Amino acid sequence: SQQGEEDPQALSIQEGENATMNCSYKTSINNLQWYRQNSGRGLVHLILIRSNEREKHSGRLRVTLDTSKKSSSLLITASRAADTASYFCATVPNGGATNKLIFGTGTLLAVQP
Amino acid sequence: KAGVTQTPRYLIKTRGQQVTLSCSPISGHRSVSWYQQTPGQGLQFLFEYFSETQRNKGNFPGRFSGRQFSNSRSEMNVSTLELGDSALYLCASSSLLTDTQYFGPGTRLTVL
């Protein structure tokens, strides 16, 4: 069963706009990670945020984590057509195995040129 | 460094057959994890191997098994295939120095 629910399920925006995706999870976590998947291919790791961190940046990506609400958000600024993909959050539960990721349901992002 | 490689990329089998998928991790990575991705169930953890030992296991029936070799390459086997086993099978490798898993391109299995 999946730990995370992502919202929205699908998002369509224009190039240059910002895209925000949200992830909610059920149990306390050690860390939360975001991955991108292009058209049914392999997953690409984007960013990892630990349970004691509140915000993290990487290039055009900004991730926030609110452990009291058991939620995270991924913001992609100044989106490009190449950002079109599915985005998944994945958690490592507290006390859980480091390499046993529990994935959310994913958000399908379409960036229109 | 070369990335994670998976072979074959595509596979078509019929019900009742068995299949073996292969994964070669990034050089130096000793942990290999396997995931199944389906439209209905999403991404689910199958198992993890570390230093030739299964370290973690997901909630899949015994028809799903795996192993890891001394060079860290891993194989997973599915016996008595069912239609519901049609999926994208992803493997990921990681090192002791990082919490990041690096995924291969996947093997798309179709069971007819």
Side-chain angles (χ1 to χ4, degrees), chain A residues 11 13 16-21 36 46 59-63 73-80 83-85 87 109 111:
Chain A
L11 180 61
I13 60 174
E17 293 181 337
N18 294 343
T20 300
M21 290 158 260
R36 183 185 77 225
L46 296 176
R60 293 184 296 114
L61 307 179
R62 173 181 166 246
V63 168
S73 68
L74 170 68
L75 168 68
I76 303 174
T77 60
S79 62
R80 305 165 182 169
D83 294 329
T84 294
Y87 291 81
L109 173 66
V111 181

Side-chain angles (χ1 to χ4, degrees), chain A residues 1-2 30-31 33 35 37 39-45 48 50 88 97-104, chain B residues 31 33 35 37 41-45 48 55-58 88 90 94 99-101 103-106 108:
Chain A
S1 64
Q2 286 168 320
N30 179 292
N31 68 65
Q33 303 173 41
Y35 285 84
Q37 184 177 40
S39 192
R41 298 163 93 177
L43 296 161
V44 175
H45 183 265
L48 180 153
R50 301 189 187 283
F88 294 91
T98 302
N99 292 326
K100 184 178 179 180
L101 294 174
I102 301 176
F103 283 88
Chain B
S31 167
S33 299
Y35 295 83
Q37 185 177 26
Q41 298 299 315
L43 280 152
Q44 296 187 88
F45 173 83
E48 181 207 4
R55 189 157 71 168
N56 293 290
K57 190 176 189 305
L88 180 66
L90 295 160
S94 64
D99 292 338
T100 299
Q101 291 192 49
F103 282 79
R108 185 163 296 281

